[in-house]
Every structure is written in C-alpha cells, then in structure tokens.
Amino acid sequence: MKNAKSKTSPQLQSLQSDAQFWHKVKVFLFDLRHFKERTDSRDRLELITDPSYIAAPYFDPSEIQRIKSFIPDGQDITLGQLIESTLDEKLNRRMKKRVATGDYRVCAAHDLAPVFEQAFGVRPKDLQKDKKFVKSLTADGLILRRP
C-alpha cells in the first residue's frame, strides 16, 4: 500500500515497521470509514469509550500512548493534542449550527477519519482496494495472522 506522502518521516516509519501495530491502525482507519456498511466495523467502534477514539479494542495502553504522543508530519503538536483540538473545534461548530435539532454529535467518519488518515499517511481508497487486507480484516479482524 502506498502512503499519501511520498516521503515518510522516521517516526511514521517506526510505527509502520511494527506489522501487528500497523495492521491495527489500518483496521481502525478502515472501520472509521465503513461503520455504516459493515457490522464488524460498527461493533468494534461501538466498544470505544475514549472521546479521542484512540482506545481499546483497537489498541492496548502502550499503543494508545504511542499514538497519542506521535507527532504527525507538518505538525508541531502530538496526534493526541491534534485530535483533542479537532474535537473541540467540531463540537463548537456543531453547537452553533445544531441548536435547533439538539444533535451535537461529532461524526467519527467525517470529522476524525481525515485527521487520522493524514497523520498516518493512509488513503482510505488504498485500504479499500487492498484485497489482501480486506480479506484478512474480514477473516481475522484486529489479529494479523502470518501466512
């Protein structure tokens, strides 16, 4: 799979070099984009209790810390801070626009997926087109099985 950026930072390369961890990242990104169409994606996402979405069942505590402390290319803040800032901005915007409806929810697919995809250099269409990944996801979920 090709990254959205042709030049990958050493910090991102370090994340990608851990095959099991990177598989979890890809499953997480895939699920954010496919929760409406796939019950397995929806089931995993509905287990998340952390507002940042960087949580179990996708990641264990050390992986959560690793992701939250990751500084994406072109940023001077951590991914954890970037997500918090994005959530605050989106919620404030929704509060102003949705007073009449009472719907103040942030949409993970529309609001958070692009931030995570850019930070990890992953294009959503690349995940969808990766037949080996989709087959593995369908068969094994978050577990990366070795051939």
Side-chain angles (χ1 to χ4, degrees):
M1 176 187 331
K2 295 178 183 173
N3 290 324
K5 297 174 184 171
S6 58
K7 206 171 197 180
T8 305
S9 71
Q11 193 178 14
L12 183 55
Q13 286 176 353
S14 174
L15 297 178
Q16 293 171 336
S17 68
D18 180 339
Q20 181 64 47
F21 172 76
W22 193 245
H23 177 74
K24 291 178 181 182
V25 168
K26 292 189 320 183
V27 171
F28 173 65
L29 296 175
F30 184 90
D31 285 354
L32 287 173
R33 290 291 185 179
H34 296 91
F35 73 97
K36 284 186 179 179
E37 304 92 42
R38 293 182 56 121
T39 57
D40 58 339
S41 293
R42 187 171 39 258
D43 290 347
R44 284 187 290 269
L45 286 169
E46 287 178 349
L47 293 172
I48 293 175
T49 58
D50 188 294
S52 73
Y53 274 74
I54 305 169
Y58 296 93
F59 308 107
D60 66 35
S62 67
E63 292 167 335
I64 291 167
Q65 182 57 37
R66 188 176 183 191
I67 292 170
K68 286 186 175 184
S69 65
F70 168 64
I71 299 174
D73 291 347
Q75 296 290 330
D76 58 358
I77 59 175
T78 66
L79 183 54
Q81 293 167 322
L82 180 61
I83 293 300
E84 184 177 329
S85 170
T86 300
L87 286 170
D88 287 345
E89 175 190 330
K90 298 291 183 181
L91 187 57
N92 286 333
R93 202 178 295 160
R94 288 198 189 279
M95 288 176 80
K96 291 176 186 173
K97 289 182 179 179
R98 304 230 177 159
V99 171
T101 65
D103 184 0
Y104 300 102
R105 296 174 294 178
V106 173
C107 175
H110 293 102
D111 297 331
L112 295 180
V115 176
F116 286 116
E117 290 161 352
Q118 184 173 7
F120 292 123
V122 174
R123 293 184 203 141
K125 290 186 185 208
D126 289 346
L127 285 179
Q128 181 65 38
K129 291 178 183 177
D130 185 343
K131 293 181 193 283
K132 184 178 177 183
F133 167 73
V134 174
K135 183 178 180 183
S136 168
L137 170 67
T138 301
D140 302 316
L142 286 168
I143 306 301
L144 176 62
R145 305 236 188 254
R146 299 285 180 206

